[in-house]
Amino acid sequence: MFRRFQLFFISVLAVSCVASGPASATAPRVVATIPPLQSLAALAMEGVGFPDVLLSGGETPHSFALRPSHSRMLSSADIIVRVGDGLEGFLEKPLRSLARRATVLQLDSLAGLELYPYRQTDGHDDKNDDTRHEAGHGHGHGHDHGHDHGHDHGQGIDPHLWLHTGNAIGILKAISVALSKADPENAPVYTGNAARGAIRLRALKLEIDRMMSPVRDRPYFVFHDAWQYFDREFGLRGGGAIAISPERKPGARRLAEVRESIRASGARCVFAEPQFPPALVNTVIRGTAARLAVLDPLGAGLENGSDQYFRLMRNLANGISSCLKTSSR
């Protein structure tokens, strides 16, 4: 009798676990272009499924080429999350030919996000310039959809929009809405995940704001200006960049101008990126008081998943804070 009861209890427990477990078999197939967007999609899908990603953290959209495995991802996708042609110009034709049935979330057209035009990259600090664009309303002001494989700095909308926690909240909500339309049965899960994720992202903003407070007035330079959204959200004095665009190697005159700007501004940190060789940064800081450090806008080396975005942003804050504090001594 007791043995039969044990077997009955185990069978009921097994059915219960199956009923309440992840419904990955029915989950929409989601493809994000870069790891930070995959992380936000994973946050929205928690308990239901897991998204794919095209680029690893060590690759850059500036020189990316699709492989057959990526083409298969796109052709089977239900939802594709991307920034826009300004970042992923390599997707323009594949989206038309491979992903006709997919819902494409193009974030540089998403209402409610903070979108900024490219700022000057000659050392001019325009963090207090209020010339910002609301998504969906700034595309008549020089937005170049970029028919090459990179993006042209100095024209159009700066595509590094994920480096802003307020934008991350808007992206998370948009992914949740798209998932709910594609999979109404799990809509309450997606909505709940987005609500909890938004709370975590607001707490992340407060955490980073406290970290940035001691170094907010200290200028720094970068390899190329991927950091405007982070700078503006947290009131930093970044903006001076060595390369106008990652596709264009700066000449001797440009390097000399940047070196002089570093000296004149008193900047003590110049940040490279792991996706690009640091040789140019080392050349520019030679003879100045600045030191080389590394910032990573894509999260190379970080484990994919719903926590990746939070680790990415904390790493950026730690990297900036540590270098600027150390260099001020």
Side-chain angles (χ1 to χ4, degrees):
M1 179 71 176
F2 180 74
R3 176 66 176 166
R4 286 199 301 272
F5 177 79
Q6 276 186 316
L7 293 173
F8 174 78
F9 178 78
I10 291 170
S11 64
V12 170
L13 182 62
V15 171
S16 173
C17 289
V18 170
S20 60
S24 56
T26 61
R29 300 199 66 171
V30 177
V31 176
T33 53
I34 56 175
L37 301 184
Q38 183 200 30
S39 180
L40 294 172
L43 191 58
M45 297 181 76
E46 256 180 350
V48 180
F50 194 80
D52 290 315
V53 66
L54 291 180
L55 281 75
S56 72
E59 297 169 311
T60 169
H62 303 282
S63 57
F64 186 73
L66 286 176
R67 296 186 285 274
S69 59
H70 300 134
S71 297
R72 289 191 293 272
M73 276 187 205
L74 294 173
S75 62
S76 63
D78 297 304
I79 298 169
I80 296 171
V81 185
R82 66 182 301 230
V83 172
D85 289 342
L87 185 75
E88 309 108 339
F90 64 87
L91 271 184
E92 186 180 5
K93 291 180 181 177
L95 285 180
R96 291 199 300 265
S97 59
L98 298 173
R100 293 177 181 175
R101 72 181 189 86
T103 296
V104 179
L105 284 181
Q106 183 158 317
L107 302 180
D108 65 5
S109 298
L110 189 62
L113 296 194
E114 295 282 349
L115 294 185
Y116 303 119
Y118 281 110
R119 60 184 171 184
Q120 298 294 321
T121 54
D122 58 359
H124 172 64
D125 177 19
D126 63 352
K127 70 183 179 68
N128 294 317
D129 180 9
D130 227 4
T131 56
R132 68 189 185 191
H133 292 272
E134 283 241 340
H137 299 286
H139 294 270
H141 299 276
H143 187 186
D144 180 5
H145 285 276
H147 297 282
D148 58 11
H149 288 256
H151 58 256
D152 186 11
H153 285 238
Q155 296 182 15
I157 298 297
D158 184 339
H160 304 91
L161 52 85
W162 66 91
L163 297 173
H164 186 293
T165 64
N167 282 350
I169 292 172
I171 294 167
L172 177 60
K173 182 178 179 181
I175 295 172
S176 171
V177 170
L179 287 166
S180 297
K181 289 179 179 177
D183 180 19
E185 184 178 347
N186 286 306
V189 179
Y190 303 134
T191 302
N193 286 343
R196 287 185 292 274
I199 292 170
R200 290 182 62 193
L201 288 164
R202 292 188 187 101
L204 178 68
K205 177 180 179 178
L206 294 175
E207 177 186 343
I208 294 176
D209 202 50
R210 287 192 295 270
M211 294 172 64
M212 297 295 95
S213 182
V215 298
R216 195 163 278 141
D217 61 342
R218 298 173 189 174
Y220 66 88
F221 277 63
V222 294
F223 168 68
H224 95 287
D225 190 20
W227 312 104
Q228 177 175 195
Y229 290 91
F230 195 92
D231 289 346
R232 284 179 179 264
E233 184 170 28
F234 299 108
L236 300 178
R237 290 188 61 196
I242 296 171
I244 303 265
S245 168
E247 294 86 13
R248 301 177 185 174
K249 185 176 180 180
R253 179 185 296 179
R254 173 68 185 170
L255 296 178
E257 288 173 351
V258 174
R259 185 182 294 112
E260 185 54 38
S261 293
I262 291 171
R263 290 197 188 103
S265 68
R268 296 300 181 94
C269 294
V270 179
F271 294 101
E273 298 172 31
Q275 293 84 11
F276 302 101
L280 279 176
V281 178
N282 282 319
T283 298
V284 163
I285 64 176
R286 194 175 298 134
T288 75
R291 60 191 289 257
L292 170 67
V294 176
L295 294 179
D296 179 14
L298 294 176
L302 295 178
E303 184 180 355
N304 291 345
S306 57
D307 286 335
Q308 194 261 15
Y309 182 83
F310 296 87
R311 292 196 296 270
L312 166 65
M313 294 294 279
R314 288 190 181 103
N315 284 353
L316 295 181
N318 278 321
I320 294 171
S321 176
S322 297
C323 185
L324 292 178
K325 281 181 178 177
T326 303
S327 299
S328 65
R329 292 171 186 170

